Amino acid sequence: MLKRISPLQSEPVYRVDALRQIESEAARTLPPHSLMQRAGSAVARLAQACYPHARRVVVLAGAGNNGGDGLVAATQLHQAGRDVLVLACGGETLNEWRSRLPADAAWAWAQAQTAEVRCALDDHSTLPEADLYIDALLGLGLSGPMRAQMAEIIQKLNAQRGAPVLSVDLPSGLDADTGAATDVCVRATLTLSLLGLKPGLCTGPASTLCGTLWHDDLGVSAATHHPQVAIDATWLGVDLIRPLLPDLTQSAHKGQRGDVAVIGGAAGMTGAALLAARAAAQLGAGRVFVGLLDDQAPALDLLAPELMLRSPAALLDAQGGRTCLLVGPGAGCDDTARSYLAQALAQPVPLVLDADALNLLAVTDSLQTLLRQRNPITTLLTPHPLEAARLLGASVQAIESDRLTAARTLAQRFACWIVLKGRGTVIVSPQQTAWINATGNGLLATAGSGDVLAGSAAALLAATGKASSVLAAVWLHGQAAIHYARKHGPGGLTATTLPSWMAASWADLPYRRPRPGIDENADFC
């Protein structure tokens, strides 16, 4: 079934080895060439649906099964009356290119020839003009460095202006498992992922190059027909996050909605702790306490007088009940911050560690030991890629080159929940279950945005007592940026206003109704 991927519906995400297993098992039970026929048909249908006025179509076909999918699409578009040209890419001659085609792609070539589709060899000249380009160059077939001839074709495709690019399965040059890219990668307008969704389309530094994301399972339901194939992660949609949000009962009082205690805000950085605390208050915490590390800080937040400011020591002495501790925003990395972090790690309550708390963990072995000893008490770390690199003793490039693996390594090493922020935020549980967030945009790249996320996560942890509520915090954080952009465009969202947009996004969600046979109070994580 052909469908657009959005933040509304959760989807399973599969690594390449799992998809190859699904493909192999399906091919054994289907008539010959069925999967390629279905894939090419899906590409042709999407092209006609999204670009009904594109008369000239150029299909860039590599000498692999991705190229075969493109050949099937070319044949069907030609039969639908489009002016189609197949440009055979990656061979010295057309015969040499054709001789390298695998069996399914060779069949697709024969079908195209029978239908009298125009075909030509890429001769390194200017790319033919078109109203639509279909990238069927590499797909999952890329392994190792890209050949210079293929890189040249991709550069020409990216240099053309005006015509959209539809990538088959994934933009050529993109690593399907990691979202990293080779030296060059197709910049697609939209991408049709076939069989299953790949991690590299959802997270990673080059995943934005896929453009609008579509999916077609080619009539092969992995969950139904191949339940033994492991899901690598879940694309996080509203259908999963809505049951994780607390419902407000008429008899509720502030003591039932959970307390959040924020410790941070050293001299010159009190704003970070206050932003986190304000977010916690706006995302439903019954009471929010703030322990600022700056001795000269005021005793009242005039913009949010509902916050209760205390000394950090007093907050740590008073923990218990339905409380979530948040340590780190603006805390600094001196001995005072280190001491309070050690005390917080010893508290038997849910704990969120952000910003400087993560930097202190990265350089203090004794704190790491205390962190691991907290298991099974819920602990959440919210690193951005640089903080994750410090925690793992790696480079930012290494973190970004495989974000799912990095997040899983952190979760395993520290026995806690991980939120690895960035393009396609990755959430991993201590049990190694992974989700990729479906919401967000560049508006979140602003000072204080991470503090708001940490405060929001703490509020939902306190309110629900469910570790998995962090999924809802991450989703709402990204949805707020989408909500804002729709109304106000690409600028103007600040950390101060972000919690209000998160609350508005929450209000827009459909109300959860109990589902028969489902324990709505169970923590599915």
Side-chain angles (χ1 to χ4, degrees), residues 148-194:
Q149 183 180 359
M150 195 64 70
E152 179 186 349
I153 296 165
I154 292 174
Q155 289 171 339
K156 289 191 293 185
L157 180 60
N158 288 341
Q160 67 86 23
R161 293 290 183 267
V165 177
L166 191 168
S167 284
V168 179
D169 215 16
L170 70 158
S172 294
L174 182 71
D175 188 299
D177 281 343
T178 68
T182 56
D183 291 338
V184 292
C185 181
V186 168
R187 188 182 301 111
T189 311
L190 70 166
T191 297
L192 175 58
S193 184
L194 301 169

Side-chain angles (χ1 to χ4, degrees), residues 278-347:
R278 293 171 190 169
Q282 292 193 55
L283 266 292
R287 297 177 297 187
V288 181
F289 302 88
V290 187
L292 295 175
L293 301 181
D294 181 4
D295 293 336
Q296 304 302 314
L300 174 69
D301 181 359
L302 293 176
L303 294 181
E306 64 272 19
L307 303 181
M308 291 171 275
L309 277 60
R310 303 283 191 272
S311 71
L315 288 185
L316 289 169
D317 288 341
Q319 293 312 309
R322 296 186 61 180
T323 298
C324 181
L325 264 174
L326 166 58
V327 181
C333 293
D334 61 11
D335 289 342
T336 299
R338 184 178 287 104
S339 174
Y340 283 126
L341 176 55
Q343 294 177 59
L345 287 165
Q347 298 288 335

Side-chain angles (χ1 to χ4, degrees), residues 315-397:
L315 288 185
L316 289 169
D317 288 341
Q319 293 312 309
R322 296 186 61 180
T323 298
C324 181
L325 264 174
L326 166 58
V327 181
C333 293
D334 61 11
D335 289 342
T336 299
R338 184 178 287 104
S339 174
Y340 283 126
L341 176 55
Q343 294 177 59
L345 287 165
Q347 298 288 335
V349 296
L351 177 63
V352 178
L353 301 180
D354 184 46
D356 285 327
L358 304 176
N359 294 327
L360 286 166
L361 275 173
V363 297
T364 313
D365 291 342
S366 60
L367 292 177
Q368 294 184 20
T369 299
L370 288 172
L371 174 59
R372 283 187 284 267
Q373 290 174 347
R374 284 180 53 82
N375 191 39
I377 302 170
T378 298
T379 310
L380 169 66
L381 309 188
T382 59
H384 55 56
L386 177 57
E387 291 162 344
R390 290 168 179 159
L391 287 166
L392 292 177
S395 66
V396 173
Q397 182 179 5

